[in-house]
Amino acid sequence: MASSAPTAHDGDPFADRRAYPRVPVALPAFLQVHDERHSVQLLDLSAGGAKLISPLSLATGTAVTLDCGTLGRVAIVRWRSGEVIGVSFETELEAREITALIQRSEALQKLMQTRE
């Protein structure tokens, strides 16, 4: 028998439906699209995807490769809002990969603060 109890998503069409928690980061990266490499800024990531800033006009469904130096992942563009793009990875990131990117982001942030 189906449950008639409302879920968190029933009342809010904009509720976060991500399967993995997002972690904020601030890292320069590259996006490989159709044999061209473009600079982007990584804003957050999870095991399943990432949010980034890019001036590229990419259609939903476009295959890309996100390159963060120590990490390269094939991904698909899932959404776009202005210059902000959401991608989902073809294969999930492992916890150690996420931790390494968080540490790089924190180190870069500290370096930038000491230069101010």
Side-chain angles (χ1 to χ4, degrees):
M1 186 160 116
S3 171
S4 61
T7 66
H9 302 306
D10 291 339
D12 183 1
F14 301 105
D16 191 348
R17 293 178 176 91
R18 292 185 189 105
Y20 306 100
R22 292 274 177 161
V23 178
V25 293
L27 288 172
F30 294 98
L31 205 60
Q32 181 89 19
V33 186
H34 307 299
D35 297 325
E36 295 181 3
R37 192 169 161 100
H38 305 274
S39 293
V40 297
Q41 179 72 22
L42 192 58
L43 299 175
D44 73 24
L45 69 130
S46 72
K51 180 169 63 174
L52 50 101
I53 295 176
S54 170
L56 300 172
S57 182
L58 300 174
T60 300
T62 301
V64 299
T65 301
L66 181 63
D67 179 358
C68 302
T70 58
L71 171 79
R73 269 298 191 283
V74 174
I76 301 294
V77 175
R78 295 297 179 197
W79 59 267
R80 178 179 181 84
S81 178
E83 290 192 343
V84 180
I85 297 173
V87 299
S88 63
F89 299 131
E90 190 173 89
T91 58
E92 294 177 4
L93 296 181
E94 296 178 15
R96 65 179 174 76
E97 294 171 311
I98 295 171
T99 299
L101 289 170
I102 292 168
Q103 290 172 343
R104 282 186 57 213
S105 177
E106 290 171 349
L108 183 59
Q109 186 177 14
K110 287 179 184 176
L111 178 66
M112 299 303 286
Q113 289 173 350
T114 59
R115 291 185 178 179
E116 291 177 350

